[in-house]
Amino acid sequence: QKEVEQDPGPLSVPEGAIVSLNCTYSNSAFQYFMWYRQYSRKGPELLMYTYSSGNKEDGRFTAQVDKSSKYISLFIRDSQPSDSATYLCAVSTQGGSEKLVFGKGTKLTVNP
Amino acid sequence: GAVVSQHPSRVICKSGTSVKIECRSLDFQATTMFWYRQFPKQSLMLMATSNEGSKATYEQGVEKDKFLINHASLTLSTLTVTSAHPEDSSFYICSASAASYEQYFGPGTRLTVT
């Protein structure tokens, strides 16, 4: 069983749609959870960082963590064509500045 | 946010030669730098972690004699792929951390070995 599972998609939605991206992880030692956005041929960019169960909101983005089921989600409201990218979840046992374990990434296309 | 650069952005080399990739933190001092490798349609896989002035810590399955990492200063780490082979062709990405909660990623280097 992989440490982090993420459906690679691809996922295609119309502009304005609500997007739901999800990951599961297997090790309860992971306590820090991140979502990165990666445009083609570029390095990942941090979108959201959480370390507790519950929701965290930042603009159109909401990160949700359920430690009891080892499930993390990223919701994008009012999706825009500029949101088209690959979204990677990442987990860590010691914090976002330490060793990260990434999911495969979900490729999202938002169609105008 | 903090800026991390990588050089070169793309490199093509012949099988058997060595290639050096530089990773620089431009506006902060990075106590820790990480090197990742990403194959097409795959996730980022951590290769090694390096702290300034110390030997790098390699992940299981990564050959330390093939992937030489040097972290000589708080703003520069280098990855040298020695005796490169076509199977080493990949996207290499570094990240840098200044003991905050975030790793800042470089733009990546695409290596093609012919």
Side-chain angles (χ1 to χ4, degrees):
Chain A
Q1 183 185 14
K2 290 187 176 179
E3 291 188 288
V4 181
E5 299 273 6
Q6 182 177 9
D7 186 343
L11 182 62
S12 182
V13 301
E15 183 174 355
I18 296 174
V19 176
S20 173
L21 305 166
N22 310 291
C23 288
T24 58
Y25 61 96
S26 57
N27 190 343
S28 58
F30 293 128
Q31 296 292 316
Y32 299 85
F33 311 95
M34 288 133 283
W35 284 95
Y36 284 83
R37 176 174 62 196
Q38 185 178 25
Y39 292 110
S40 182
R41 300 177 185 272
K42 300 291 185 183
E45 171 194 9
L46 180 66
L47 284 177
M48 300 289 285
Y49 173 92
T50 59
Y51 56 86
S52 58
S53 283
N55 294 351
K56 181 178 180 179
E57 191 173 313
D58 184 0
R60 296 185 295 111
F61 299 91
T62 299
Q64 189 175 80
V65 174
D66 183 346
K67 289 187 178 182
S68 63
S69 57
K70 301 187 183 67
Y71 193 85
I72 58 177
S73 302
L74 178 71
F75 299 95
I76 307 174
R77 292 184 298 282
D78 188 25
S79 56
Q80 303 295 309
S82 57
D83 295 328
S84 298
T86 296
Y87 290 80
L88 300 139
C89 62
V91 297
S92 172
T93 59
Q94 298 176 27
S97 62
E98 302 297 328
K99 174 182 175 180
L100 301 180
V101 180
F102 282 88
K104 262 191 175 182
T106 300
K107 185 171 184 179
L108 170 69
T109 300
V110 180
N111 301 299
Chain B
V3 180
V4 176
S5 70
Q6 275 184 248
H7 178 79
S9 58
R10 302 184 70 172
V11 57
I12 301 172
C13 70
K14 292 186 176 180
S15 185
T17 61
S18 295
V19 174
K20 180 185 283 188
I21 302 171
E22 290 187 350
C23 177
R24 293 182 184 272
S25 56
L26 298 184
D27 51 3
F28 69 101
Q29 293 186 323
T31 50
T32 306
M33 287 185 167
F34 304 84
W35 286 95
Y36 295 83
R37 182 167 51 182
Q38 186 177 33
F39 291 107
K41 298 186 179 181
Q42 298 293 319
S43 185
L44 280 78
M45 297 297 295
L46 180 66
M47 299 174 66
T49 302
S50 73
N51 293 295
E52 184 263 341
S54 303
K55 287 185 178 181
T57 302
Y58 290 81
E59 294 299 301
Q60 191 173 12
V62 178
E63 300 175 57
K64 62 180 181 180
D65 294 330
K66 180 171 183 62
F67 298 99
L68 302 178
I69 291 172
N70 183 280
H71 191 167
S73 76
L74 286 171
T75 60
L76 173 64
S77 177
T78 60
L79 167 68
T80 301
V81 183
T82 62
S83 188
H85 288 96
E87 57 265 30
D88 298 324
S89 298
S90 188
F91 193 50
Y92 291 86
I93 306 176
C94 72
S95 69
S97 169
S100 65
Y101 70 93
E102 182 173 353
Q103 284 181 41
Y104 300 96
F105 284 82
T109 296
R110 185 159 302 280
L111 169 64
T112 303
V113 185
T114 60

